[in-house]
Amino acid sequence: MPMTASTVLTARALLLDMDGTLVNSDAVVERVWRRWADRHGLDGDEVMKVVHGRQGYASMAVLLPGRPMEQNYADNARMLAEETADMDGVVAIPGAAEFLASLRGVVAHALVTSADVALSTARMGAAGLSLPEVRVTAESVGASKPDPEGFLKGAAELGVAPEECVVFEDSGAGIAAGRSAGMRVVGVGPRAGFHRPDVVVRDLRQVRVEVLGGGVVRLRVG
């Protein structure tokens, strides 16, 4: 079982998911995906069990396994536009602004998100959060989480070995991707605890960052 007491981790880089980790976008995700479920005659509750953490086309492939991928890609583009136009209820996860500020300029870190550039820019802006300089978005990868490609690419762009990275994630797909990449995973929020990350926090107020020098950071988590 993941640890919930205070835990100390050291790393050379942090790889940060966005939705559910830095930004609470659950309200809009629920609205958009439940409308999609209704259009396709699917149970909304079952759909919501699948969609967190994945790119839209990958969720559609799970939910509509017989549908051609070309339709999923086209549908995904429409969904991304719909989500990007809807910022109602998008807010920062508690502690996210302070956490990002503690990293800026002193700790190697990257955003690794299943959102595209437009959606990630809009949501981070709506939440009042600054974007990390290094970003791995939907356009950057050929495979969606739970494939580890995004996290491995983030580590490579930062010039840090996977085993020296710590991932922050909230979803089952994202936690699986981090673990498949050979990284330790801090689970953030209520969804995370069901998917066996290395440690779970309620939100980012439970994470304290200490810079040790030599490119190493100590995380006190919990």
Side-chain angles (χ1 to χ4, degrees):
M1 292 295 291
M3 296 169 283
T4 53
S6 182
T7 300
V8 177
L9 302 171
T10 57
R12 291 186 178 275
L14 309 182
L15 302 176
L16 315 174
D17 174 51
M18 181 182 71
D19 293 301
T21 301
L22 298 173
V23 173
N24 183 345
S25 56
D26 282 2
V28 62
V29 172
E30 288 268 347
R31 285 194 294 273
V32 169
W33 278 99
R34 285 185 183 277
R35 286 198 297 265
W36 183 88
D38 287 343
R39 289 197 297 270
H40 294 279
L42 298 174
D43 181 272
D45 291 339
E46 294 304 311
V47 167
M48 295 313 302
K49 293 177 183 178
V50 172
V51 300
H52 291 291
R54 291 180 169 85
Q55 291 192 45
Y57 74 83
S59 296
M60 294 169 191
V62 173
L63 294 162
L64 297 173
R67 192 164 78 155
M69 283 304 297
E70 291 78 9
Q71 291 185 32
N72 293 338
Y73 289 129
D75 212 359
N76 183 48
R78 289 190 291 271
M79 294 279 282
L80 283 169
E82 198 175 338
E83 289 183 88
T84 303
D86 185 355
M87 292 295 121
D88 188 21
V90 174
V91 296
I93 293 292
E98 296 82 0
F99 177 64
L100 287 170
S102 74
L103 306 182
R104 198 171 303 120
V106 293
V107 180
H109 65 288
L111 187 73
V112 181
T113 175
S114 293
D116 63 4
V117 168
L119 182 56
S120 58
T121 302
R123 282 189 177 160
M124 290 288 281
L129 300 176
S130 57
L131 283 161
E133 290 186 12
V134 177
R135 300 184 287 276
V136 179
T137 62
E139 296 93 337
S140 309
V141 297
S144 170
K145 299 171 186 177
D147 190 283
E149 181 186 359
F151 287 124
L152 291 171
K153 184 161 190 176
E157 291 197 17
L158 294 172
V160 177
E163 63 271 18
E164 295 183 309
C165 296
V166 170
V167 165
F168 285 74
E169 264 284 2
D170 73 299
S171 71
I175 290 167
R179 294 180 76 84
S180 294
M183 301 172 183
R184 291 154 294 160
V185 181
V186 175
V188 180
R191 279 190 293 270
F194 295 103
H195 303 290
R196 301 184 66 81
D198 294 287
V199 60
V200 181
V201 294
R202 180 180 60 255
D203 57 48
L204 293 170
R205 292 175 295 185
Q206 292 186 288
V207 181
R208 294 164 300 289
V209 179
E210 301 172 12
V211 179
L212 301 181
V216 178
V217 62
R218 177 189 290 140
L219 302 172
R220 296 190 182 276
V221 184

